[in-house]
Amino acid sequence: MFADFYDFEADDVILFDDADPERRVFRDAAAFGRAFAPMFAALRRAEHAVEEGPEVLVSDRLAASRMVFVARLTAADGAVSALRALNSQVWRRGDDGRWRIVRDQTAVHPVDLHEAAALAAQAGG
């Protein structure tokens, strides 16, 4: 799903998302994807709204981005939860001219459904 965004060939990636129950730091984009695939597959629906950003700083071969988003997640059993996430990434431009993520850190915290709806409405989502 995210193959066009992450650098699957680099040996220097560092990826962390504290939505991971094991709170692992991944140094391989494929392993990061495998860790989250079951969580995404178990969802009936995932809705996202960007609350802030993205804000991007660009240099020659490196760029940094930051954004805050709100997610409303519906599990296969119909249970609904929500979270607010702060995401920071470092992108590197490869020799092919494409930008790919080599650093990704996401901090999430649960929010109640009313707060999530209010944040999403403010974000226009």
Side-chain angles (χ1 to χ4, degrees):
M1 173 182 254
F2 297 110
D4 287 341
F5 299 105
Y6 288 87
D7 192 331
F8 282 81
E9 296 180 20
D11 60 2
D12 62 349
V13 299
I14 301 173
L15 311 169
F16 174 81
D17 188 323
D18 67 4
D20 173 20
E22 296 180 42
R23 300 182 58 82
R24 295 168 283 185
V25 174
F26 294 89
R27 295 187 175 268
D28 176 278
F32 186 64
R34 285 190 302 272
F36 282 91
M39 284 185 243
F40 284 108
L43 293 174
R44 181 185 301 169
R45 185 175 184 154
E47 302 165 274
H48 296 80
V50 176
E51 181 185 345
E52 293 177 23
E55 299 168 34
V56 180
L57 296 172
V58 179
S59 185
D60 180 44
R61 293 187 59 113
L62 292 175
S65 64
R66 175 199 175 274
M67 73 173 162
V68 178
F69 65 89
V70 179
R72 184 176 188 269
L73 308 172
T74 305
D77 65 3
V80 180
S81 62
L83 57 86
R84 183 172 185 255
L86 169 61
N87 174 256
S88 297
Q89 297 172 327
V90 175
W91 301 68
R92 183 169 44 215
R93 186 168 48 87
D95 293 336
D96 61 359
R98 296 187 59 160
W99 291 91
R100 293 197 173 79
I101 299 164
V102 293
R103 301 284 191 279
D104 188 337
Q105 182 163 348
T106 304
V108 298
H109 75 273
V111 294
D112 68 47
L113 295 176
H114 296 295
E115 182 181 0
L119 291 168
Q122 289 173 355

